[in-house]
Amino acid sequence: MAGSARHLGVVVDTSRSPYVRLRPVSLARVRLSDDFWRPRRRINREATLPAQYARLEQTGRLDNFRRAAGKIDAPFSGVYFNDSDVYKWLEAASWTLCTDRDPDLERMVEAAIDEIEAAQRPDGYLNTYFALERASERWTDLTHKHELYCAGHLIQAAVSHHRATGGDHLLRVARRFADHICDTFGPEEEGKRPGTDGHEEIEMALVELYRDTGDRRYLDQARYFLDVRGRGLLGGREYHQDHRPFREMDRMVGHAVRAVYLNAGAADLYAETGDPTLLAALERLWHDMTTRRMYVSGGIGSRYEDEAFGEDYELPNDRAYAETCAAIGSVMWNWRMLSISGDARYADILEHVLFNAVLPGLSLDGQSYFYQNPLSDGGSHRRSPWFGVACCPPNVARLLASLPGYFYGVCEDEIRVHLYAEGDAEIPLEGRTVGLRQRTRYPWDGSIEIEVAGEGEFGLALRVPAWCQDGSARIEVNGETFHGEAVSGDYARIRRPWRPGDRVRLTLPMTVRPVESHPYVAENAGRVALMRGPLLYCLEQADNPGLDLRDVVVPIDGPFSAEYRPDSLGGIVALRTPAEVARPDEGWEGRLYREARPRTGEPRRPTAGVTAVPYYAWANREPGRMLVWLRAR
Amino acid sequence: MAGSARHLGVVVDTSRSPYVRLRPVSLARVRLSDDFWRPRRRINREATLPAQYARLEQTGRLDNFRRAAGKIDAPFSGVYFNDSDVYKWLEAASWTLCTDRDPDLERMVEAAIDEIEAAQRPDGYLNTYFALERASERWTDLTHKHELYCAGHLIQAAVSHHRATGGDHLLRVARRFADHICDTFGPEEEGKRPGTDGHEEIEMALVELYRDTGDRRYLDQARYFLDVRGRGLLGGREYHQDHRPFREMDRMVGHAVRAVYLNAGAADLYAETGDPTLLAALERLWHDMTTRRMYVSGGIGSRYEDEAFGEDYELPNDRAYAETCAAIGSVMWNWRMLSISGDARYADILEHVLFNAVLPGLSLDGQSYFYQNPLSDGGSHRRSPWFGVACCPPNVARLLASLPGYFYGVCEDEIRVHLYAEGDAEIPLEGRTVGLRQRTRYPWDGSIEIEVAGEGEFGLALRVPAWCQDGSARIEVNGETFHGEAVSGDYARIRRPWRPGDRVRLTLPMTVRPVESHPYVAENAGRVALMRGPLLYCLEQADNPGLDLRDVVVPIDGPFSAEYRPDSLGGIVALRTPAEVARPDEGWEGRLYREARPRTGEPRRPTAGVTAVPYYAWANREPGRMLVWLRAR
């Protein structure tokens, strides 16, 4: 595997963090050969990344660097945080080069890094918006102008490039800027300027830079930026998570991407410092998000206004904002919580968000994107090939590029399998390397066979997803029933002396699950969403011609049938069920309200077979209505 | 009655419009002596208007005029459309002076008019934001900068002041500005600048100025501004109703206040021109609004984003925007449609919006306001004494001040009674004057007695509200049953030779009506709203201690009891019903979603008596949860 020997290749480097239970496994050591992720990652490399690079050129994002370097004479293009799109693209391209050889991509990466370096000021400062005529406005509006956010993405890109390729070209650029930031911001009594970032991101970046370089001042600087939040430096608004000190927070509020990026950074800080007040706040916030403010898709941030979290149970479907970037931030945060705690509930949410809140953000051809992800739509919400504010496209690309790094973890002498897909891995475990081969058609099929190529006693822990009913997952070791615990929402931990060729088979129940939401989510009352395995389903007009999806009433107890359709939507399992068709009666003609009468008896309604498809695949055919929450009886 | 002899005193002067069926009745000829509106109009005069005037001073809105006149040296204060608040206040104060003597108020009015006049430029232009250092920016951004909107409110204020008091001081100022506008905007071939208003308002104003002055160029100018919409002069967005020509519109879209102001202006144009394509568009738009895009309160404009109409059936309750000004605009539009057609359905909506969408915008003490009017709330949405963007406060004030003008209309030799309240009126009818005295406790009681002081044959038409079930309204004339038609949603038309002292009694059924909404309004599925007479009800925490209102399940078929409570909320009829309390079961602890199981049998739930109060009166006690749409069984 490319790079596995030379480079670290871990996405979040908690390999030496004192306060984590799980150690990461290099993505260079994991090969996905499945039919779900492999084609998506190939499209990401072959189609998405080159197309995005072309956009970075066409939209002037790279020219902004050339301009700042004095190479061209042109006005600044676009929005003041456009540098960050170049950085996120570089991160995506770097992780891609860690697993796949691609000379064209490599050339683009090198070219972009050259442009970036040339734009750096002698003092290390680097932001193309605050160059030339705006140089004097540097750091004058931390609340709104995203300078530290862009710096964070530069650092993340540099660390990724270094870990993925071994090259330290961009890392040197990033360190110079990071040093400048450390020299600039801090307590007044140290002769520095108090300040923190209006859009969080740099916290994670600085901790990762500390991990990559060993230089503790970056960790201290990340802590400083976190510690001064909630003291009014940003105006005290919930929008910026500046309404109170982080350690006192207990609700997910404000701009959703900012909020989860902040939490990911705080988790990184905990991993290095063990500060229990950080962990307590993170656990409160996670509980608040997952029990009050998260869509059934795993999407977060329900409001268009401020791209923000709403109140408890405020989860509108048509007008869901549920930004793709917020879902990606949730994956990043959950991954760090998983590393810290080893607790499978974080892996459950991570997988769920990945399939049902991140993936819908990308078209099947890898060429267009959703910014908002509604859970119902009349047919007008369609993906775009790019945005003026283009945070989501390269964000999806970097997650797909780094995805193999999320599959496994190591806890002392135990291998944790977090995610399932056909493929193999070589996992370093206390001085030796253990080979694992997964054979499965997951997420379409619940049978997962893992062949172990290793010898001696160690643990193998398989995640039993929380969506399995207790006792429904079965495990066999070399054909014999495993009698240890296999509790859903936890890892089934198999510890034994292994021999090469040993096989473990995990069988997860792939029944269709109608899911209801808490009665305080008003819009979903009397409705269910269909799930199967890790996947959320929806109805689309394309599969249900002649039906108004709003009239469909599905039976809570089925029957539901599942059918693999290799030629549909890139290959999916579709669901079928007989449903009632409850047309609004004639009394509704031309009316919006009417006097209610007591219901007498069961209505007689015509029935129709309806077809549901995975929610991640919606809006890849002709425009039409889509619905996740279905009326049920 | 003050002013009745001297001045016209009609709110919208369609008295000579060729294309209307109903003629207006001067508000100076209508006296409300009831316990519902009279105290509100007294508070409006005694408390609201002086407090608003003080705000106009404190916030620099009047100083902006002094500044533009060169009287003081100070920076411009506030937002670029702040002049309009002064004008709307003047309109409110003027109508007030038409019905009530108030020397203090009169002095304020005169002082404000002096300040306004002094700020006018020699060429007639008048806008304090585009004065002095910004004089060169006049008319450079019609799309966003509200110059024509402010001009429209100046004209409306001037016309109102003239009609209400007979004074033409402000009217002369307004005409100079209107002439300047007529000279400036028009087709290029006439040597003018093409352009129209980014925020509609001037259309109505110019038609009214035409009606007041007889000068046809104002009417032509209004038509010009309407005719050039939808040709991209404003950028072509739905937000500004510039996406297509007005006559081709069929959906209520974009900013809600703009949309209804535009429609009111188009209706005024129809009233003068009889252009059938205008009326056809207005009827399509009204049908769209009332059958797809209106809250059960009558509120409109469901989205926080852009303060705009949403899609069909997009009517979120917690996050309803439902701006108070949009409801007022709906009253204005419906009044014009009623005048044009004589059709009671417009009066039905007008009354409904007035009670349930305008009134909630004002606190019972007349000192604080809602901008947004949600239909459910957790206890955090409270009225404010003022806003930075203060359109709503003076808008409520001008409607309350002019309210008596909406009670009656005349159609040839028939008097139409649109609204009911204790009081009397003197209505000019074909050369004579007919006195009417209403005796009623409406809206609390359904009995309305009308004593006629007039002689000879003429028609008296009483509106039978659409909320009455057909056949449920009873009419007696001098104690004998009236056998003519009394169809709900139409006028019951009584034509006879009258003698002084004749009495007509209309009895409306005041049963409690649980109302359901169209099944496509997802959030209201399985829920009802309670209504009684014209009033919408809600549950408030204050009346239902110890209950989580979200758990309340009311019986669709009651029983409901109604009880007058003179000491509660200014005197209300409260509703009581026994309800079930459906607490989320223990399975919801710490969960947002779970697998749904088929329901088996009826759940056994504890019951509790619940109390509902009129929605207009909510949030006048301690903060707490409020709910309009109640779970029902």
Side-chain angles (χ1 to χ4, degrees), chain A residues 295-554:
Chain A
Y295 283 99
V296 70
S297 62
I300 50 172
S302 61
R303 285 189 185 170
Y304 269 69
E305 315 87 75
D306 285 351
E307 307 182 316
F309 283 95
E311 294 294 317
D312 287 351
Y313 309 112
E314 181 186 325
L315 297 164
N317 293 313
D318 246 300
R319 293 297 285 172
Y321 200 77
E323 185 181 337
T324 305
C325 280
I328 292 168
S330 177
V331 167
M332 293 159 64
W333 178 29
N334 275 288
W335 175 254
R336 285 157 174 81
M337 298 302 282
L338 174 62
S339 301
I340 289 167
S341 65
D343 190 331
R345 63 192 172 142
Y346 299 112
D348 271 316
I349 299 286
L350 188 155
E351 180 188 54
H352 185 80
V353 171
L354 180 64
F355 276 115
N356 305 305
V358 175
L359 265 198
L362 183 67
S363 63
L364 294 179
D365 65 4
Q367 299 282 6
S368 60
Y369 310 89
F370 275 143
Y371 204 112
Q372 301 89 11
N373 291 277
L375 276 78
S376 75
D377 184 60
S380 61
H381 191 71
R382 307 295 289 177
R383 292 183 187 83
S384 285
W386 194 249
F387 306 100
V389 172
C391 47
C392 300
N395 222 351
V396 176
R398 68 178 178 148
L399 181 55
L400 279 176
S402 61
L403 191 69
Y406 291 93
F407 269 66
Y408 299 96
V410 170
C411 181
E412 296 171 359
D413 71 339
E414 181 178 87
I415 298 170
R416 298 277 180 103
V417 187
H418 305 312
L419 301 175
Y420 300 111
E422 176 93 13
D424 42 299
E426 289 172 10
I427 296 173
L429 192 73
E430 301 200 323
R432 72 198 132 172
T433 296
V434 174
L436 292 185
R437 171 175 293 271
Q438 288 197 34
R439 289 198 190 86
T440 179
R441 290 184 59 249
Y442 193 85
W444 308 123
D445 190 283
S447 166
I448 298 142
E449 186 187 82
I450 297 183
E451 185 180 330
V452 181
E455 216 152 348
E457 181 162 327
F458 58 86
L460 179 67
L462 307 183
R463 185 172 69 90
V464 180
W467 49 259
C468 302
Q469 279 187 31
D470 272 332
S472 65
R474 292 196 320 274
I475 298 178
E476 292 170 344
V477 181
N478 292 330
E480 290 183 15
T481 300
F482 169 70
H483 291 292
E485 277 198 296
V487 178
S488 75
D490 203 350
Y491 292 87
R493 306 172 71 176
I494 306 163
R495 174 168 298 277
R496 66 195 300 274
W498 299 91
R499 292 200 189 167
D502 278 354
R503 286 165 193 232
V504 177
R505 177 180 297 278
L506 169 66
T507 308
L508 304 173
M510 284 288 174
T511 51
V512 177
R513 307 187 314 279
V515 166
E516 62 185 350
S517 59
H518 192 285
Y520 292 169
V521 185
E523 207 174 317
N524 298 341
R527 292 173 184 263
V528 298
L530 301 182
M531 297 200 66
R532 179 177 180 273
L535 298 180
L536 176 67
Y537 277 73
C538 67
L539 299 191
E540 271 203 298
Q541 197 65 63
D543 302 298
N544 300 285
L547 272 182
D548 189 320
L549 304 185
R550 296 172 296 191
D551 299 337
V552 168
V553 183
V554 299

Side-chain angles (χ1 to χ4, degrees), chain B residues 404-552:
Chain B
Y406 292 92
F407 269 66
Y408 299 96
V410 169
C411 180
E412 296 171 359
D413 71 339
E414 181 178 89
I415 298 170
R416 298 278 179 102
V417 186
H418 305 312
L419 300 177
Y420 300 112
E422 175 93 14
D424 42 299
E426 289 173 9
I427 297 174
L429 192 72
E430 302 199 321
R432 72 196 132 173
T433 295
V434 175
L436 292 184
R437 171 175 293 272
Q438 288 197 34
R439 290 198 190 85
T440 178
R441 288 185 60 247
Y442 193 84
W444 307 124
D445 189 283
S447 166
I448 299 143
E449 186 188 81
I450 297 183
E451 185 181 330
V452 181
E455 217 152 347
E457 180 162 328
F458 57 87
L460 179 67
L462 306 183
R463 186 173 67 90
V464 180
W467 50 258
C468 301
Q469 279 189 32
D470 272 333
S472 65
R474 292 195 321 273
I475 297 179
E476 292 169 346
V477 181
N478 292 331
E480 290 182 15
T481 301
F482 170 69
H483 291 293
E485 276 197 297
V487 178
S488 76
D490 203 350
Y491 293 86
R493 306 171 70 176
I494 307 163
R495 174 168 297 277
R496 65 196 300 275
W498 299 92
R499 293 200 190 165
D502 278 353
R503 287 167 192 231
V504 177
R505 177 180 297 278
L506 169 65
T507 308
L508 304 173
M510 284 287 174
T511 51
V512 177
R513 308 188 311 279
V515 165
E516 61 185 350
S517 59
H518 192 285
Y520 292 170
V521 185
E523 206 175 317
N524 298 341
R527 292 173 184 264
V528 298
L530 300 182
M531 296 200 66
R532 179 177 181 273
L535 298 181
L536 176 67
Y537 278 72
C538 67
L539 298 191
E540 272 203 299
Q541 197 65 63
D543 302 299
N544 300 284
L547 273 181
D548 188 319
L549 304 184
R550 297 171 297 190
D551 299 337
V552 168

Side-chain angles (χ1 to χ4, degrees), chain B residues 535-592:
Chain B
L535 298 181
L536 176 67
Y537 278 72
C538 67
L539 298 191
E540 272 203 299
Q541 197 65 63
D543 302 299
N544 300 284
L547 273 181
D548 188 319
L549 304 184
R550 297 171 297 190
D551 299 337
V552 168
V553 183
V554 298
I556 278 188
D557 49 356
F560 301 100
S561 62
E563 172 189 305
Y564 186 65
R565 296 185 178 178
D567 300 325
S568 183
L569 296 166
I572 56 161
V573 166
L575 307 183
R576 297 272 304 163
T577 189
E580 292 180 1
V581 182
R583 293 282 313 151
D585 61 48
E586 284 169 12
W588 284 116
E589 195 60 47
R591 306 178 81 168
L592 188 49

Side-chain angles (χ1 to χ4, degrees), chain B residues 198-456:
Chain B
H199 192 313
E200 299 90 324
E201 156 63 30
I202 195 158
E203 299 83 357
M204 285 186 265
L206 286 169
V207 178
E208 285 276 76
L209 187 61
Y210 156 68
R211 290 168 178 158
D212 225 50
T213 62
D215 189 340
R216 227 187 144 78
R217 76 186 299 216
Y218 305 131
L219 178 65
D220 294 339
Q221 190 65 32
R223 183 162 44 194
Y224 169 77
F225 283 138
L226 183 104
D227 286 352
V228 297
R229 296 199 93 79
R231 304 195 186 162
L233 286 175
L234 299 169
R237 289 184 60 204
E238 287 191 348
Y239 176 80
H240 300 103
Q241 294 79 43
D242 191 44
H243 54 299
R244 58 172 62 175
F246 181 80
R247 292 169 179 78
E248 297 170 22
M249 290 184 188
D250 52 11
R251 292 181 310 123
M252 293 297 281
V253 297
H255 188 264
V257 176
R258 282 173 167 82
V260 282
Y261 280 21
L262 171 62
N263 295 355
D268 275 330
L269 269 172
Y270 174 81
E272 304 306 323
T273 66
D275 176 348
T277 61
L278 287 178
L279 187 60
L282 286 165
E283 286 175 345
R284 284 195 303 272
L285 291 168
W286 191 87
H287 184 262
D288 181 61
M289 180 174 86
T290 55
T291 64
R292 304 251 164 91
R293 298 177 179 209
M294 188 176 79
Y295 283 98
V296 70
S297 62
I300 50 172
S302 61
R303 285 190 187 170
Y304 269 70
E305 314 87 73
D306 284 351
E307 307 181 318
F309 283 95
E311 295 294 318
D312 287 350
Y313 309 112
E314 182 187 326
L315 296 164
N317 293 315
D318 245 301
R319 294 296 285 173
Y321 200 76
E323 185 180 335
T324 304
C325 281
I328 292 167
S330 177
V331 167
M332 292 158 64
W333 177 28
N334 274 288
W335 175 253
R336 286 157 174 81
M337 298 302 283
L338 174 63
S339 300
I340 289 168
S341 66
D343 190 332
R345 62 191 173 144
Y346 300 112
D348 271 318
I349 298 286
L350 187 155
E351 179 188 55
H352 184 80
V353 171
L354 180 64
F355 277 116
N356 305 305
V358 176
L359 266 198
L362 183 67
S363 62
L364 294 179
D365 65 4
Q367 298 281 6
S368 60
Y369 310 89
F370 275 143
Y371 204 112
Q372 302 89 11
N373 292 278
L375 277 78
S376 75
D377 183 60
S380 61
H381 192 71
R382 306 296 288 178
R383 292 184 187 82
S384 285
W386 194 247
F387 306 100
V389 173
C391 47
C392 301
N395 223 351
V396 176
R398 66 178 179 150
L399 181 54
L400 280 177
S402 60
L403 192 68
Y406 292 92
F407 269 66
Y408 299 96
V410 169
C411 180
E412 296 171 359
D413 71 339
E414 181 178 89
I415 298 170
R416 298 278 179 102
V417 186
H418 305 312
L419 300 177
Y420 300 112
E422 175 93 14
D424 42 299
E426 289 173 9
I427 297 174
L429 192 72
E430 302 199 321
R432 72 196 132 173
T433 295
V434 175
L436 292 184
R437 171 175 293 272
Q438 288 197 34
R439 290 198 190 85
T440 178
R441 288 185 60 247
Y442 193 84
W444 307 124
D445 189 283
S447 166
I448 299 143
E449 186 188 81
I450 297 183
E451 185 181 330
V452 181
E455 217 152 347

